[in-house]
Amino acid sequence: MINGNTYQATPPLQAHNSKELVLKEQSLFLSEYASTLMGSGVHTSRVIRNTKRIGKALGLEVTVSGLHKSLILSVVADHTGDSFSTMVEIPHSPISFEINTNLSRLSWEAHDEQLSFHEIVKRFTGLVSRPKLHPIVVLILSSFANASFCALFGGDCFAMGIVFSATLIGMFTKQQMLAKDINLFLSFITSAFIASLAASTSVIFNTTSDIAIATSVLFLIPGVPLINGFMDIMEGHVITGTARLINALLLVLCIAIGMSGTIMLTKHISI
Amino acid sequence: MEIFWRTISDYNAATWTFQLLLIIIGSILTISLYRDPNEKTKKAMKLFMVFLNLWIAIIYYLVFCSDRNYYYIFAIFWAIVACIWLYDLAKGGYRLERSYKYDKIAFVLYAIPFIYPAVSFARGMSFPSVTSPVMPCTVTIFTLGLLMSFSKKINLFLVLFLFHWALLGISKIYLYKIPEDILLTICTVPAVFLYFKEYISSDICTNSKPGNHAINLILLGTCSVIGIVFSYVIFKSFGYL
């Protein structure tokens, strides 16, 4: 997608004779590829490596400058020396390890099998348009995962059950709010509040309620942005890394605000 | 445990006339919803549900259960459920449209709030120390019944809250040995499965995986596991395991 429009490649030599137009088309595709990778939660250096690899397979030298919200690509054709620069917005898409893996694999396939540009675009379009995991499945799996976290932190069976149910409610709240394009931070605050409030009902029982409340919001922890932020800084992409870390820390702050809301309402609980 | 039954006793003794009135209003609204499901009746039912949930939050928990530990958490919980109905009343998301698929199950669920006090009496308890049809668990079952009959577009958020309440019910069975709540547990698991099934079939997520059949199998597996765990807890709490 470029600015919301689906990118469709035209067979280069049939439709355009002009080499500049081919270069433009290839550059736009590479920017689309790189922004999709960035949007699906890949750290900057990997995005650059993969994009350069595809560029090399196409006989292009690619330079990528990564910012938090956008990418700037400069593409130079090896043979002619023609160049084309483009700037693309990074889409707000959910983190997807599947897209991450598949697009990385595509870059190796392009490199090893010397795929034509048209074939790369065809495979790319196929990969990004694959069906996503159904939200209900994500809901159930997240709840099981959170209940398992509760067990890992020493929660008993009742606490695990409560965390499972609290995560169902919290995660569903998050899914619905994000589906309605409600502000991300507000969605996180509300989801954390709802999930921890549901988990706080465990205090009436002689159970590990402190662990239940603490682990009920773990599904919201922005683990991938935090890791990517650190990796970006370690690999020299300080601006992107810092921006990602700040964004992730803001989300952590939102979780804390949501939990604080619950604790303020139920302030007699001794956690 | 003693406080638990004392608060119930105080609540019943002081509010039985109001409870009776609520039962009558609820019954009239439910019957009219089946007979003439127009916009006015639907709005009236939603308004009644807001009132009923606020009743549980304020009258039951804040006024009569204030001797119990952490009563305010449950008051907040029920206030949120009331807010869900209120939001629905304002926005009109859940349209209370009859699906006709699960009417028989719904009628069984409507009957259960009246079986609750019968179970209490059968256990040798006497009024006012008995469970009544206007208490959190019975209101949960009534809501499940209502949603079951009018399930064309499910308010899943509400269902999840009710499921959470049922989970608390199972804990009450285990810790306080209250057999009445077995009814709530038995009703909730299959009901939740059916709600999710309906939600998935009415969902517009076309480009998603796995397919509806596979998701239903995952749901069935999950609900079966929950059902087995619930059964284990029930049997264990009464010394059969």
Side-chain angles (χ1 to χ4, degrees):
Chain A
M1 301 278 278
I2 292 176
N3 296 330
N5 301 316
T6 307
Y7 180 85
Q8 284 184 327
T10 320
L13 293 173
Q14 287 172 15
H16 308 295
N17 290 322
S18 164
K19 284 177 183 173
E20 285 84 7
L21 280 177
V22 174
L23 180 65
K24 183 183 172 185
E25 203 169 357
Q26 288 176 332
S27 305
L28 288 175
F29 165 73
L30 286 171
S31 63
E32 160 98 11
Y33 173 87
S35 65
T36 308
L37 266 181
M38 276 296 260
S40 60
V42 182
H43 60 276
T44 310
S45 62
R46 190 174 184 190
V47 174
I48 294 173
R49 267 200 316 274
N50 287 353
T51 313
K52 281 184 175 234
R53 194 178 296 128
I54 293 190
K56 197 177 171 191
L58 295 170
L60 305 167
E61 191 173 330
V62 183
T63 312
V64 184
S65 176
L67 296 167
H68 181 52
K69 293 252 181 194
S70 54
L71 286 172
I72 302 166
L73 272 87
S74 178
V75 180
V76 180
D78 285 345
H79 297 300
T80 60
D82 290 341
S83 67
F84 188 86
S85 294
T86 178
M87 188 170 179
V88 64
E89 270 186 38
I90 297 166
H92 290 284
S93 45
I95 286 159
S96 167
F97 291 112
E98 192 183 359
I99 287 184
N100 176 350
T101 312
N102 287 336
L103 292 189
S104 293
R105 190 181 295 146
L106 176 67
S107 74
W108 280 111
E109 285 169 359
H111 182 267
D112 296 342
E113 298 170 28
Q114 286 297 302
L115 299 176
S116 68
F117 174 58
H118 189 59
E119 181 60 25
I120 295 170
V121 172
K122 194 178 149 195
R123 289 191 190 186
F124 171 80
T125 311
L127 290 173
V128 293
S129 58
R130 275 187 185 178
K132 310 276 185 299
L133 209 56
H134 196 287
I136 293 291
V137 179
V138 176
L139 189 68
I140 293 170
L141 294 180
S142 310
S143 304
F144 274 120
N146 238 16
S148 308
F149 268 127
C150 179
L152 279 175
F153 285 105
D156 60 15
C157 291
F158 278 123
M160 280 173 69
I162 296 280
V163 168
F164 177 82
S165 178
T167 310
L168 276 178
I169 298 173
M171 185 75 181
F172 186 71
T173 309
K174 184 189 157 196
Q175 286 180 342
Q176 291 297 305
M177 289 183 83
L178 291 180
K180 286 178 181 162
D181 280 333
I182 295 170
N183 180 280
L184 181 70
F185 298 121
L186 190 63
S187 305
F188 266 64
I189 292 171
T190 313
S191 307
F193 171 70
I194 297 280
S196 54
L197 186 74
S200 71
T201 52
S202 61
V203 291
I204 57 159
F205 307 114
N206 185 20
T207 184
T208 48
S209 51
D210 51 344
I211 296 171
I213 295 170
T215 53
S216 64
V217 294
L218 286 183
F219 70 96
L220 290 166
I221 297 290
V224 174
L226 280 171
I227 294 167
N228 282 343
F230 273 113
M231 285 178 81
D232 282 352
I233 291 173
M234 298 289 278
E235 289 171 352
H237 303 283
V238 181
I239 296 172
T240 317
T242 311
R244 276 178 157 174
L245 270 184
I246 288 171
N247 201 36
L249 290 173
L250 280 174
L251 292 178
V252 173
L253 184 69
C254 290
I255 298 169
I257 292 170
M259 277 188 83
S260 306
T262 296
I263 293 168
M264 275 166 69
L265 284 173
T266 58
K267 54 180 178 273
H268 301 295
I269 305 167
S270 53
I271 296 179
Chain B
M1 185 68 179
E2 207 174 284
I3 295 171
F4 182 82
W5 284 110
R6 187 166 52 75
T7 52
I8 287 178
S9 178
D10 292 346
Y11 167 73
N12 282 337
T15 65
W16 71 269
T17 42
F18 295 103
Q19 288 189 53
L20 205 63
L21 193 67
L22 282 172
I23 293 167
I24 293 167
I25 296 170
S27 305
I28 292 169
L29 283 172
T30 310
I31 293 165
S32 3
L33 206 58
Y34 279 90
R35 285 194 171 168
D36 183 22
N38 57 40
E39 278 309 305
K40 267 188 181 175
T41 328
K42 287 176 184 176
K43 279 191 176 171
M45 179 49 105
K46 284 182 184 178
L47 205 61
F48 174 72
M49 291 311 292
V50 173
F51 182 79
L52 191 61
N53 288 298
L54 282 177
W55 171 276
I56 297 293
I58 298 166
I59 306 294
Y60 183 79
Y61 276 112
L62 289 182
V63 177
F64 288 98
C65 295
S66 54
D67 287 345
R68 293 188 198 172
N69 288 331
Y70 310 115
Y71 64 96
Y72 40 85
I73 296 175
F74 296 102
I76 295 165
F77 185 93
W78 283 96
I80 290 177
V81 179
C83 287
I84 297 170
W85 278 107
L86 195 64
Y87 178 83
D88 220 55
L89 183 70
K91 289 275 177 182
Y94 172 52
R95 290 193 291 269
L96 278 175
E97 273 183 48
R98 197 142 166 222
S99 65
Y100 297 96
K101 274 187 188 172
Y102 310 112
D103 276 356
K104 283 178 187 168
I105 303 172
F107 294 139
V108 172
L109 289 172
Y110 290 143
I112 288 175
F114 300 102
I115 298 174
Y116 256 74
V119 173
S120 293
F121 286 123
R123 288 172 62 210
M125 300 166 91
S126 58
F127 187 83
S129 292
V130 289
T131 51
S132 70
V134 189
M135 283 171 69
C137 292
T138 40
V139 167
T140 302
I141 297 177
F142 171 71
T143 314
L144 288 174
L146 189 71
L147 296 179
M148 190 64 83
S149 230
F150 300 88
S151 61
K152 258 202 171 167
K153 196 182 173 199
I154 285 286
N155 186 339
L156 203 58
F157 195 49
L158 190 62
V159 170
L160 291 174
F161 264 88
L162 299 179
F163 171 72
H164 190 76
W165 191 258
L167 199 74
L168 297 177
I170 193 84
S171 315
K172 276 194 278 179
I173 296 167
Y174 185 76
L175 297 167
Y176 303 136
K177 310 279 185 288
I178 304 167
E180 284 91 333
D181 278 342
I182 293 174
L183 292 167
L184 172 67
T185 311
I186 292 169
C187 299
T188 307
V189 178
V192 165
F193 170 69
L194 292 175
Y195 292 134
F196 267 96
K197 196 166 165 270
E198 283 301 309
Y199 183 79
I200 289 163
S201 62
S202 66
D203 197 21
I204 44 162
C205 280
T206 46
N207 192 26
S208 63
K209 64 181 180 181
N212 279 6
H213 184 66
I215 297 174
N216 283 338
L217 283 177
I218 292 170
L219 271 178
L220 190 64
T222 308
C223 289
S224 303
V225 169
I226 294 168
I228 290 165
V229 171
F230 278 12
S231 309
Y232 174 78
V233 173
I234 290 168
F235 282 117
K236 198 174 177 188
S237 58
F238 291 103
Y240 294 113
L241 286 173

